Amino acid sequence: MPLRLQTTSGLCLVRDLLRRNSPFGFSLYPSKAKMSKAVPARRLEGLDKNIWVEFASLAATYKAVNLGQGFPNFPPPDFVREALVEVVGGNDTSIHQYTQAFGHPRLVAILARFFGKLFGRDLNPRTNVLVTVGAYEALFCCFQAFVDEGDEVIIIEPFFDCYELMVKMAGGIPVFIPLRVNADKSGKLSSSRDWQLDLAELEAKFTQRTKAIVLNSPNNPLGKVFSKVEMEAIAAVCVKHDVVCFSDEVYEWLVYDGNEHVRIGSLPGMWDRTVTIGSAGKSFSATGWKVGWALGPDHLLKHLRTVHQNSVYHCGTAPQEAVARVLEKEFERFGTPQSYFFQLPQQLQRKRDFLIQSLEAVGMKPIVPEGSYFLTADLSTFKVELPGLPDSEEPYDSRFAKWMIKNKGLAAIPVSAFYSPPQKKNFDHFIRFCFAKEDSTLKAAGDILQQWSQKEPSQ
Ligand code: PMP
Ligand code: GLN
């Protein structure tokens, strides 16, 4: 029997000591499991659940029309697919081998040229650019590079779920600030613009321990595009409190209705404290390629390089070469109607509007996104009596989304998954749909909704 102490943490400590440091060369702790050393590292505590794993599997099991996880089910444009085919099928066999650790030379060169133009500054391909395994790895490198035990990181809610988990994995403390909802006089929430940052509240979140803030515009899940005025205000607090900004801009090309994407790293005083994160997967509708990047000043990126070289080391060569060729083409036609960055938002805006109509027709209230490929629907007037205890710990939207997959064959993501634990109950009546889907998929979703409302007209 291990020593008994009063507290659970005390017990764990003794158990760990006995397991790991037994003076006899074998564990004194009688374990039922064969592998008594397989105790997970403390940094994994509480991080085992993942909304994407859960909902992707549910959607597949029930063969649902899947507007859940955010990826296009239409193909990337021909020039993108052809680039990869040419790269892999060409005579240059070195493309099948390792390349430069911090980014394939041709890719970092065009990223530096392209974004140098957008930021209005010269970028060095070797020091201001890091190629990563999707934007995910860029985010992971940011948190691992800068967040120490007890450091605070400000996260604006609702937020892409991995920010919270990655901050915790680095030993940091996420500090949340919810966007405040400004409904119109009739109580109607019609646009992602109705979710606003209270700047006084934001400023109050900054403490001596604040190390960084995460910004995501266009935002996942709401599709909010932060305005220049909002960005300038955030920038001013970052400068005042000497805080680093991780700016997740994976949906940078997906802005609608004449909205403008502002790069916070281009605002005065911000370049030196900002890591800007992008994704070829999102930019070119090829999420499976998992090519992403981080851009920023050398004094920040050098620490991301340390994480990268000691974890991933380098990313697949062929997709990098293909993304380089595709970006070179985009660079030539940038700002013209031939540019994919011009065509994609137009195509998506039509899809967004189609989904809005389908949702409105059945009484789910769409919150029109200014950007991204997600649309949040308000369920408050579309309540369905769901099986399960009324005082269930699981938020209503989560139960609703699971029920919808199983009973209606339609998948969406509960928005409470994008909130911190204390806020989940306050935002438990929204679900997020991804509209980057074939027209036939969106029509199939619309048909399900139509049939549903005809069968249950009381909703
Ligand atoms: N940031 C946001 C806001 C996202 O929605 C996603 C989802 N793909 C990512 C980062 C990760 O992007 P990638 O697929 O390039 O890893
Ligand atoms: N970013 C996408 C979404 O929000 C995909 C998430 C993921 O693959 N983990 O749906």
Side-chain angles (χ1 to χ4, degrees), residues 344-360:
L344 181 62
Q346 293 200 331
Q347 183 192 349
L348 286 172
Q349 186 165 329
R350 280 195 300 275
K351 290 177 186 293
R352 177 196 72 171
D353 294 344
F354 179 85
L355 182 60
I356 289 172
Q357 279 174 10
S358 305
L359 293 169
E360 273 174 343

Side-chain angles (χ1 to χ4, degrees), residues 12 33 61 65 84 128 198 207 227 252 264 293 321 340 382:
C12 290
T61 307
V65 174
L84 188 58
N128 299 133
D198 180 327
T207 70
S227 69
E252 61 195 314
I264 196 163
W293 52 80
E321 171 75 17
Y340 189 59
F382 193 83

Side-chain angles (χ1 to χ4, degrees), residues 52 70 133-137 139 160 162-163 216 218-220 248-251 277-282 287 290-292 373-374 432:
W52 310 109
V133 183
Y136 254 104
E137 196 227 333
L139 288 161
F160 184 45
C162 75
Y163 305 155
N216 174 215
N219 158 277
N220 179 5
D248 180 344
E249 304 186 15
V250 299
Y251 301 108
I277 293 165
S279 164
K282 302 291 180 185
T287 55
K290 288 300 286 188
V291 175
Y373 42 48
F374 303 115
R432 189 202 77 173

